[in-house]
Each structure stands twice: as structure tokens, then as C-alpha cells.
């Protein structure tokens, strides 16, 4: 739920594509293509999410100063071009320009998650083969 002085918006977290900072405002784009703008800065949005979601880092990730993205919608990370491609539900990709260092950190985080899940799979596979 995002609540400002004049607005209240209830959203399923899986529908969030990304939040984008615009000075004292924050733009929210949903996977369905619907867009909202709030009169709160992105830091306040991040605080609201942290209070409401037990582990906001699980799905929503802060990328640099200007974006919070839903990692389940990430299609491509291109470091040389500083581009992050998100796939929306309507099948239209959304391209964000992100500074290289935050983008590199995001890439490393996602790679580490894949390695952890791969290790778990490998360990289970070994246990099953030994039985």
C-alpha cells in the first residue's frame, strides 16, 4: 500500500515493474503498463516498502539513486550500454538507463542467487544419485 496525504494505492507486489525517482516525486509503472506518480521521494517509498514487506530485498531491489525494480521482470542487463531491460505482462520490454556501478552490483547479486540455487540443486541431485 502506498499512502500519501491525498492518495491511497493498493498494489500486488508482483504487478510492480519499477519505481523511478523524479526529484520529490516517484513514478510507479505496473507490469500491465499502468503508471502512477506520487508526491513522495523514492527514499520514502523505499521506507514504506520496508515496513510493509517482511523482506523487500527478495523481489524489489534498489538500483542506484533513481530506481527500485522488481527482479522477477528483469530480462537483460547490458553493462556496456548501461541498460536494464524489464519485460512487462503485455510483452513489451521497458528499457531503463542505469549507471554502470549500480547495474554491475545488480548483475552480481542476480548471478550469486543463481549460483546459490544451482548449488542447492546440485547437492540434492548428488544425494538422490547416491541413494
Amino acid at each position: 500500500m502506498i499512502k500519501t496525504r491525498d492518495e491511497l494505492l493498493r498494489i500486488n507486489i508482483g504487478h510492480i515493474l519499477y519505481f523511478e525517482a523524479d526529484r520529490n516525486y516517484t513514478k510507479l509503472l505496473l507490469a500491465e503498463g499502468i503508471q502512477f506518480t506520487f508526491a513522495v521521494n523514492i527514499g520514502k517509498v523505499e521506507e514504506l516498502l520496508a515496513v510493509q514487506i517482511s523482506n523487500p530485498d527478495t523481489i524489489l531491489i534498489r538500483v542506484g539513486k533513481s530506481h527500485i525494480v522488481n527482479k522477477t521482470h528483469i530480462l537483460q542487463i547490458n553493462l556496456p550500454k548501461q541498460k536494464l531491460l524489464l519485460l512487462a505482462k503485455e510483452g513489451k520490454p521497458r528499457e531503463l538507463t542505469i549507471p554502470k556501478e549500480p547495474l554491475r552490483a545488480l548483475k552480481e547479486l542476480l548471478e550469486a542467487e543463481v549460483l546459490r540455487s544451482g548449488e542447492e540443486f546440485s547437492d540434492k541431485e548428488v544425494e538422490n544419485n547416491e541413494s
Side-chain angles (χ1 to χ4, degrees), residues 78-97:
N78 187 320
L79 289 175
K81 292 183 180 179
Q82 296 179 302
K83 300 291 182 190
L84 176 64
L85 200 61
L86 301 168
L87 192 58
K89 287 207 166 114
E90 73 272 9
K92 284 176 52 178
R94 296 285 179 152
E95 187 176 85
L96 300 176
T97 301

Side-chain angles (χ1 to χ4, degrees), residues 47-108:
E47 289 174 19
L48 289 169
L49 294 171
V51 168
Q52 295 180 48
I53 304 168
S54 60
N55 189 359
D57 294 333
T58 304
I59 295 175
L60 299 175
I61 301 171
R62 180 79 183 252
V63 184
K65 295 178 182 177
S66 300
H67 294 90
I68 299 172
V69 301
N70 184 331
K71 73 178 183 181
T72 62
H73 292 284
I74 295 173
L75 180 63
Q76 180 187 36
I77 296 173
N78 187 320
L79 289 175
K81 292 183 180 179
Q82 296 179 302
K83 300 291 182 190
L84 176 64
L85 200 61
L86 301 168
L87 192 58
K89 287 207 166 114
E90 73 272 9
K92 284 176 52 178
R94 296 285 179 152
E95 187 176 85
L96 300 176
T97 301
I98 309 280
K100 203 174 265 189
E101 285 311 307
L103 203 54
R104 184 184 319 278
L106 175 62
K107 180 179 177 285
E108 290 170 359

